[in-house]
Amino acid sequence: MARAAAAEAFSRRLGAAVRGLSGAWYNRHMAAADRAIRARLPLVDLVLEVRDARVPATSAFELLHRRSPEEPDVRRLVALNKADLADPSETEKWVAFMKQRGCSCIAVNSHCRESINELLNAVRGRIREVKLGVSDCTGTVLLVGIPNVGKSAIINAMHQIGRIGAAEKGKLKHAIVSSHPGETRDISGYKVASHPNIYVLDTPGVLSPIFANDEYGPRLVLTGAIKDSLLEEYEIAQFLLTILNLRKECREWENLNLDGDKSSFADAVPTRSCHTKRQYSSDHTQDFIVRAVRQALSETIASFQGDLGNENDLRRLVEIQFTHLQNAFRISAETIEDRNKRVAVKLLNLYRTGRLGHYTLDHVPDVRQEVAA
């Protein structure tokens, strides 16, 4: 498809920039965590691998897939976290696909109590299987994943729910939660359940310095697994716009009511099944600004006379959109570079907090294709 080919050009350019970093994110702390996790894998009863539901293949924990044949297999449960930010229908397909491949998998929203309860029950069930149904026992779970997939948010939620239901009460020890990748530095243990007693070991995020697929780098940057500071936010936002421009959802935003009718805005973003307070500390954008951003993107696409299958025309549309987004975000800047950076930062934040809709970047492959599972 011509449009997809034009968008791939932006992906290749961003991918080249990621490769140019030569694994700069893989520092000595990450290397030490890699060794520590590898040493603990044979010692635990279950590995809980957390992935980003928007990129289920891209966010696979590489360490689990490059173990030597001599090393014993690990019992594993995959949690597709941030399911509230992904396309629900695609998430269902991914869960089914993983199960077909013989891997236990569950979709999770770490901000939703009901979702965490489901995950906790799944962990209990797997531990009981390992312990042959004995309830008065102790099980250990190693929580692993790449940076910024929400491991600490999950373990905090599991810990709080588990301790509330436990016989003993006491001070809760929380993991540090951050929207920035690489904040967890040490391996810490948390009790999350009784009968059976279950302890979860939280680990630092580890991201391989080399990717098996050239498409992985841009997607990891876009979803926040690699720090924006290592690249240009403008280039990342350009890649995001090429994705949005080719999706049908963006064209439907044209019908949004900008006069404050929140019902139209709510229809544009499906309501999460769990009603909670605003979930992300970085999300301060008011609804009317988000509506204006959506309207600007939709109108620029509708009025564009070029060919979105042509790389140069697609680049021209993206440049036009940055100009319109400056007005939508109400940004005043002295230079184009400053304007583009500020627009890019705000736009990326809206995408990463789900305010621009729910998108899954990895699609379920044909069963004949090879994918991390």
Side-chain angles (χ1 to χ4, degrees):
M1 185 177 177
R3 289 187 174 184
E8 286 174 4
F10 285 82
S11 177
R12 287 195 300 272
R13 186 160 55 252
L14 183 57
V18 174
R19 286 195 302 274
L21 295 174
S22 300
W25 56 85
Y26 192 82
N27 53 32
R28 60 185 180 88
H29 299 290
M30 200 170 283
D34 192 318
R35 294 190 296 271
I37 292 171
R38 187 186 296 276
R40 285 165 174 78
L41 281 175
L43 308 178
V44 297
D45 298 304
L46 178 68
V47 174
L48 178 56
E49 180 190 358
V50 181
R51 301 189 189 184
D52 189 323
R54 296 168 296 179
V55 284
T58 301
S59 60
F61 192 60
E62 181 64 23
L63 177 58
L64 296 179
H65 305 284
R66 54 181 168 88
R67 290 161 55 78
S68 67
E70 293 76 20
E71 296 178 280
D73 291 335
V74 296
R75 299 180 180 89
R76 182 167 53 121
L77 171 63
V78 174
L80 299 183
N81 192 30
K82 304 189 180 184
D84 53 317
L85 303 181
D87 181 332
S89 63
E90 290 293 322
T91 299
E92 288 180 6
K93 294 176 185 176
W94 269 107
V95 170
F97 174 79
M98 298 288 285
K99 290 180 178 178
Q100 288 174 0
R101 297 287 296 268
C103 179
S104 298
C105 182
I106 183 172
V108 178
N109 172 1
S110 62
H111 302 282
C112 174
R113 183 182 179 87
E114 290 81 2
S115 181
I116 292 297
N117 262 322
E118 290 180 10
L119 175 61
L120 195 51
N121 288 335
V123 170
R124 284 194 185 101
R126 293 302 306 275
I127 291 297
R128 287 194 179 102
E129 289 177 12
V130 174
K131 300 298 183 179
L132 303 178
V134 178
S135 60
D136 188 18
C137 62
T138 297
T140 53
V141 179
L142 189 66
L143 188 72
V144 300
I146 68 172
N148 210 25
V149 290
K151 298 187 301 299
S152 295
I154 283 180
I155 199 170
N156 279 338
M158 291 176 67
H159 181 52
Q160 183 153 6
I161 291 174
R163 289 295 296 273
I164 287 174
E168 71 275 15
K169 303 288 183 179
K171 184 177 179 181
L172 299 180
K173 180 182 177 184
H174 294 282
I176 298 174
V177 178
S178 172
S179 60
H180 302 291
E183 290 297 320
T184 303
R185 293 291 181 87
D186 302 310
I187 295 180
S188 304
Y190 303 82
K191 186 174 183 178
V192 300
S194 297
H195 311 296
N197 296 314
I198 300 177
Y199 291 86
V200 177
L201 302 178
D202 187 22
T203 65
V206 175
L207 183 62
S208 173
I210 301 174
F211 305 131
N213 190 312
D214 287 340
E215 295 179 346
Y216 285 3
R219 294 174 186 176
L220 290 169
V221 170
L222 183 55
T223 53
I226 298 175
K227 292 182 179 180
D228 291 345
S229 59
L230 295 175
L231 296 156
E232 293 288 337
E233 288 94 341
Y234 177 53
E235 195 167 359
I236 304 171
Q238 283 184 311
F239 175 57
L240 170 60
L241 285 175
T242 64
I243 294 174
L244 297 179
N245 288 334
L246 300 182
R247 299 293 182 100
K248 63 179 182 179
E249 295 92 336
C250 204
R251 290 163 176 75
E252 296 171 353
W253 295 341
E254 187 177 10
N255 299 321
L256 289 178
N257 182 349
L258 294 184
D259 296 327
D261 180 3
K262 291 188 177 181
S263 63
S264 62
F265 180 64
D267 290 341
V269 182
T271 304
R272 296 183 178 95
S273 58
C274 296
H275 300 283
T276 61
K277 295 180 180 179
R278 182 162 289 176
Q279 301 171 352
Y280 299 92
S281 59
S282 60
D283 181 12
H284 303 294
T285 310
Q286 298 183 53
D287 284 350
F288 75 90
I289 295 291
V290 180
R291 285 193 292 269
V293 168
R294 287 169 170 265
Q295 192 82 5
L297 294 177
S298 178
E299 289 179 350
T300 51
I301 292 175
S303 61
F304 187 64
Q305 300 299 314
D307 177 12
L308 295 184
N310 180 283
E311 180 184 348
N312 292 329
D313 282 356
L314 184 57
R315 181 179 294 106
R316 184 161 57 89
L317 172 59
V318 169
E319 292 172 355
I320 292 172
Q321 288 175 322
F322 264 90
T323 300
H324 284 257
L325 287 173
Q326 178 184 2
N327 297 327
F329 281 122
R330 302 189 176 189
I331 291 174
S332 58
E334 295 183 357
T335 66
I336 294 178
E337 290 77 12
D338 185 35
R339 178 205 70 185
N340 288 343
K341 179 179 176 63
R342 294 175 62 185
V343 167
V345 169
K346 289 180 176 293
L347 187 67
L348 290 172
N349 178 65
L350 291 188
Y351 164 74
R352 290 167 179 167
T353 55
R355 306 291 298 280
L356 292 180
H358 305 82
Y359 303 94
T360 299
L361 306 182
D362 287 346
H363 298 293
V364 178
D366 186 284
V367 292
R368 294 167 296 182
Q369 294 179 328
E370 194 69 27
V371 67

